[in-house]
Amino acid sequence: MKKTVRNIIIFLVITALVGTFSPMGMKQSAAQITTPEETVYQYISALNNHNWNEVVSLLTGDEQSAVKGFIANPENEGQDILGVLSAQIVEIKEMPSDAARFATTVDSYRSTYGDVHVFYAGINYTVENESEFYLNGVNYNLIVVVPENGSWRIVQFSMAPIDTFVKWGYGFNSPSENAALEVLKQREEGRIVNYQGKLLGTNIATEEQLNEEKGEQ
C-alpha cells in the first residue's frame, strides 16, 4: 500500500514538472495567445468602445506616436477615428501579401518585421461626420499586421483598393461591397458621395492645377 501511494506521488510530481517545462506549460507571449486576425478584431472593438489607450497599444511604435498626437489635439475632435461612433467587422479575409504589394510596402515591412499579414475587411461604421475616408455604412479597409515586441500590431490601416481586389478575384461579392464600388466610381470622377448619393465634396482638379501638372504656366 505504501509503495502504491509512493508511486502515485512520484507520478504526480513528474507530471507537474513536465507541464512546467513543456511548451504547453510555459507562459505564452501575446503573439502566441492572439493571431493577426484577432488583433484586427481587438482594434475594431477598441475603436467601437472609444478605448483610445487600447487602440494605440495595438499599433506599431511609429504609428502609436502619430495617433497619440492626433487624439491629444483638441482641433481633431469629431474627425477621423475620433468621429467614429460605432464600428463592427462584417466581413474579413486574409490576402496573399504579394497580391497587396501595389497598395502597401510589403517588402519594406517584411524587411523590418520579418512577417507580414494583410487583411481586406468590410467594417460597418456609424460616424459623426461623413468624409472621403469614413462613411456611414460598410467601408472597406486594407489592414497590415506585423509582429513587434512579442505582440501582433497594426502597421497600416488604409482605404482598400476595392476595384482591384474584386478584379483579381479577392472580393466578397456582397451587396455592401457592390455599393462601395459604386461610391468608388463616383470618387474616381471627382465626386465624393455617401451611400445615399449625397454629395460630400469634390476632388476635381481646376484648369490651373491641370496646367501645373502639364508644366504649363
Side-chain angles (χ1 to χ4, degrees), residues 90-103:
V90 296
E91 48 193 8
I92 186 172
K93 64 170 63 176
E94 183 165 2
M95 301 280 293
S97 57
D98 289 343
R101 180 175 275 114
F102 75 97

Side-chain angles (χ1 to χ4, degrees), residues 124-128 130 134-139 194-196:
N124 190 13
Y125 290 105
T126 303
V127 298
E128 187 174 337
E130 288 190 295
Y134 288 93
L135 298 175
N136 285 316
V138 182
N139 296 234
N194 64 12
Y195 287 118
Q196 288 71 47

